[in-house]
C-alpha cells in the first residue's frame, strides 16, 4: 500500500510539473505566432518586405501548439469525443465504458508515440533542415512524441483513477459531470422565447381577476 501511494504521489507531482511546462509552452507559442504575424504584416505595409522565415516558423509553432494541446486536452478531459452511445449508459456501465475508452486511447497514443520516435530517428539520420533558417527538422518535431506520450500518460492516469475511486472521472483531476436538461425550459421555436412557468402564470391570472 505504501509503495502504491508513493507511486501515485510521484505521478501527481510529475503531472503538476508537466502541466506547468505545457502552460509555458502554449503561452509562448501563441504569443510568438501573434507577434511574428503582426511584425510580418507591418513589414509588408511599411517597408514592402516581410520576414522570409515567417512561414516555416509559423508551421513549427502550429506543430508545437497542436501536440502540446493534445496533451493539455487529455489532462482536462477536453478532447473531442463521440459520446452518442456513451451518454446512453449510466452508473457502473458508463464507468466501465469510460475505463475501456481511456485504456484504449492510452494504448493507441503510446504506440503513436513509439512511431513518432522512430520517425525522429529517421529525420536525424537524414539531416533535413528548414530552407530559410536551417533548423534541423528533428528538433522541431521533438514535440510530437512528447505530446503523444504525455496524452497517453494522462489517459492511463484517468484509468487508474476510475479503477480506484467510486466516482466517475473524465480526467485524473476532473469529475464527469452531466447537467440535466429541463425540457420545460427549452425555448419554444414558435414563440421564439422560453415558455412561462405554469405556477407564475396561474398567480398572474389570479391577480388580474382580483383587480377586476
Amino acid at each position: 500500500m505504501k509503495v502504491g501511494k508513493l507511486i501515485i504521489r510521484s505521478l501527481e507531482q510529475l503531472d503538476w510539473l508537466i502541466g506547468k511546462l505545457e502552460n509555458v509552452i502554449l503561452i509562448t507559442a501563441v504569443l510568438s505566432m501573434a507577434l511574428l504575424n503582426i511584425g510580418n504584416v507591418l513589414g509588408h505595409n511599411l517597408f514592402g518586405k516581410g520576414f522570409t522565415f515567417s512561414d516555416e516558423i509559423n508551421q513549427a509553432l502550429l506543430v508545437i501548439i497542436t501536440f502540446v494541446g493534445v496533451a493539455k486536452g487529455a489532462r482536462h478531459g477536453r478532447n473531442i469525443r463521440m459520446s452518442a452511445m456513451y451518454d446512453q449508459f449510466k452508473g457502473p456501465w458508463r464507468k466501465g465504458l469510460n475505463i475501456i475508452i481511456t485504456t484504449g486511447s492510452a494504448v493507441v497514443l503510446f504506440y503513436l508515440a513509439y512511431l513518432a520516435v522512430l520517425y525522429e530517428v529517421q529525420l536525424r539520420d537524414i539531416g533535413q533542415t528548414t530552407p530559410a533558417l536551417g533548423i534541423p527538422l528533428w528538433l522541431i518535431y521533438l514535440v510530437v512524441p512528447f505530446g503523444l506520450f504525455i496524452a497517453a500518460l494522462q489517459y492511463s492516469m484517468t484509468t487508474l483513477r476510475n479503477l480506484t475511486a467510486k466516482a466517475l472521472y473524465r480526467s485524473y483531476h476532473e469529475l464527469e459531470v452531466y447537467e440535466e436538461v429541463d425540457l420545460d425550459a427549452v425555448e419554444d421555436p414558435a414563440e421564439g422565447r422560453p415558455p412561462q412557468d405554469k405556477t407564475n402564470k396561474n398567480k398572474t391570472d389570479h391577480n388580474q381577476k382580483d383587480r377586476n
Side-chain angles (χ1 to χ4, degrees), residues 3 18 39 58 69 110 115 122 127 155 175 195 200:
V3 176
I18 293 174
N58 277 328
F110 274 129
L115 293 180
Q122 290 180 355
Y155 281 118
L175 285 167
N200 294 333

Side-chain angles (χ1 to χ4, degrees), residues 91-100 162-163 165-168:
W93 291 101
R94 176 177 287 180
K95 188 171 187 179
L97 185 57
N98 183 286
I99 291 172
I100 293 173
N162 282 318
L163 288 173
K166 292 183 179 180
L168 175 59

Side-chain angles (χ1 to χ4, degrees), residues 45-140:
N45 291 331
L46 297 178
F47 306 106
K49 187 177 181 181
F51 302 129
T52 57
F53 54 84
S54 61
D55 288 340
E56 62 187 47
I57 293 296
N58 277 328
Q59 289 177 5
L61 291 174
L62 280 175
V63 172
I64 292 172
I65 292 171
T66 299
F67 286 93
V68 177
V70 168
K72 187 72 174 177
R75 176 184 307 280
H76 297 285
R78 293 294 192 274
N79 283 332
I80 296 174
R81 298 185 299 177
M82 293 178 286
S83 57
M85 183 180 297
Y86 177 81
D87 292 341
Q88 304 303 316
F89 293 92
K90 293 183 179 180
W93 291 101
R94 176 177 287 180
K95 188 171 187 179
L97 185 57
N98 183 286
I99 291 172
I100 293 173
I101 293 172
T102 53
T103 303
S105 299
V107 171
V108 171
L109 287 170
F110 274 129
Y111 180 65
L112 290 177
Y114 166 74
L115 293 180
V117 171
L118 296 181
Y119 180 68
E120 282 289 307
V121 173
Q122 290 180 355
L123 277 181
R124 186 174 180 180
D125 293 339
I126 293 172
Q128 188 174 356
T129 60
T130 59
L133 297 177
I135 301 174
L137 284 180
W138 69 270
L139 283 178
I140 296 174

